[in-house]
Every structure is written in C-alpha cells, then in structure tokens.
Amino acid sequence: MSRTARVERVTKETKVLVEIDLDGTGQAEITTGVGFYDHMLHQIARHGGFDLTVRTVGDLEIDAHHTMEDTALALGAAFDQALGDKAGIRRYGSATVPMDEVLVRAAVDLSGRPYVVHDEPALAPYIGPVYPTSMTRHIWESFGQAARITLHVDVLRAARPGGHPDAHHVVEAQFKAVSRALREATAIDPRNAGVVPSTKGAL
C-alpha cells in the first residue's frame, strides 16, 4: 500500500503545499522563503528517509511566524494522512543525536493523542536573518498537534565550555533527532503485519 499524502493549506496569510512519501529515499524539494527553515525541513527528508515536497508562500513582509507555523501544521497533517490506519507500523521511535558540542534526544509515539514536551536552553534570538529561535518549540507543537503524535524533544547538552549555546547546532540537532525517531516509528514491523500496534485496536 502506498503511504503517501498531499495536503494543501490556504489561509489569508499563507498558501502551503506538502507532499510526502513515507517509503521514499530522502529526496526533497523545499521552499518556504525562510532559508534556515528550508535547511531544517531537508533534514526531516534526508534523515527520516521520506520523499518530501514543501512549497510555502507566506506573509514574510510581516514576519516568519505564519509561514513557519502553517508549514508545520500542513506537514503534520500530511504525516497523519500518509500513515492511514497505522496498521503494521512500529509506532514508537527514539533517537539521540550529537552535533559537535550539542546532544539531543527525541522520542515519538504515533499515538493519535497530540502531546509535545520540548526543552532547550535560551538561545540567540535569530539564526540567519529571518528564523526566530523562539519558533522552534512552536514548530514542534504545531507539527505534533496536526500529526496527532506524542513528541518529546530534550536538549541534553548544549553549551561549549565557557561559552554560550550555538543556536544553529541546537536547532539542527533537534530536527535530525526527531527525523530519526520518526523514521523508526513509521517503519513497517515485519512481526506485526497488518496489525494496529495498540490493545485498543486503533490509533
């Protein structure tokens, strides 16, 4: 069965198209107008092993908030749609990812119950000219809500000795860790063929 989805989200503030194939090879075509965000969404495709297309046109003349939020909501909805009834998946996934001085742990449960826990240190306010670091938490909250998943993201280590956290490393390690956790959770479990991994019989 094809595990693909196409989601279009159109508001007065943004127009978003997301296409995803959960059984892809990590190919991506991403354009949101926020360069660092594009770079992070490429991490989801590459490290998750998903083929991903994201095209967003937003009101960047105001700020990046609506563009980033609505993209995350559409991406989450695409994951939820592509997973279908979730029969045969592993359901749970976790990953611990180092990036130089940074260490991040992510854990996911494709539970059907949206709940997000996010913990990171205080960071410089921007990465590049338009990516506000305060939006990272909101990205995970929006994605988790729309995908209907439980997601924990914890920055276990960040500061260099005698220095401040490198915001680029802290955020990128989060995206890589979440991607690897999603890759594991969405994978088909050969020992659970056709069975929804829940005693309830539904997720």
Side-chain angles (χ1 to χ4, degrees):
M1 180 181 296
S2 173
R3 298 197 299 163
T4 62
R6 176 186 172 95
V7 170
E8 294 185 74
R9 177 183 173 87
V10 180
T11 72
K12 293 180 179 180
E13 299 162 340
T14 63
K15 181 178 180 180
V16 185
L17 167 68
V18 174
E19 296 177 332
I20 193 167
D21 182 350
L22 298 181
D23 300 308
T25 59
Q27 301 301 306
E29 179 188 336
I30 313 287
T31 175
T32 67
V34 181
F36 185 75
Y37 195 29
D38 291 357
H39 182 43
M40 294 302 96
L41 295 176
H42 273 280
Q43 305 305 319
I44 289 179
R46 175 57 58 193
H47 295 283
F50 313 122
D51 288 346
L52 180 62
T53 297
V54 177
R55 299 192 188 103
T56 302
V57 177
D59 54 356
L60 293 176
E61 71 279 4
I62 296 175
D63 67 11
H65 185 107
H66 299 143
T67 294
M68 297 169 71
E69 176 184 53
D70 288 0
T71 299
L73 287 168
L75 180 62
F79 263 92
D80 187 42
Q81 186 183 123
L83 283 165
D85 65 3
K86 303 177 184 175
I89 64 168
R90 293 187 183 276
R91 175 179 171 175
Y92 296 99
S94 63
T96 302
V97 170
M99 187 169 182
D100 296 353
E101 77 285 2
V102 175
L103 186 66
V104 173
R105 177 181 59 212
V108 64
D109 174 11
L110 306 181
S111 60
R113 299 185 305 277
Y115 198 95
V116 175
V117 177
H118 176 260
D119 182 43
E120 71 176 7
L123 301 175
Y126 283 90
I127 302 172
V130 290
Y131 182 99
T133 55
S134 61
M135 280 297 296
T136 305
R137 176 193 296 271
H138 193 46
I139 288 167
W140 296 134
E141 289 171 341
S142 299
F143 173 76
Q145 175 187 2
R148 300 189 308 120
I149 65 174
T150 297
L151 174 64
H152 289 244
V153 184
D154 297 294
V155 179
L156 304 178
R157 187 172 300 115
R160 293 172 173 169
H164 298 288
D166 182 318
H168 187 130
H169 287 177
V170 170
V171 175
E172 184 166 341
Q174 289 179 54
F175 274 83
K176 288 178 175 177
V178 171
S179 302
R180 298 298 300 189
L182 285 169
R183 181 180 187 131
E184 181 179 343
T186 60
I188 298 298
D189 184 351
R191 297 182 301 174
N192 200 34
V195 178
V196 175
S198 171
T199 55
K200 298 181 181 69
L203 289 172

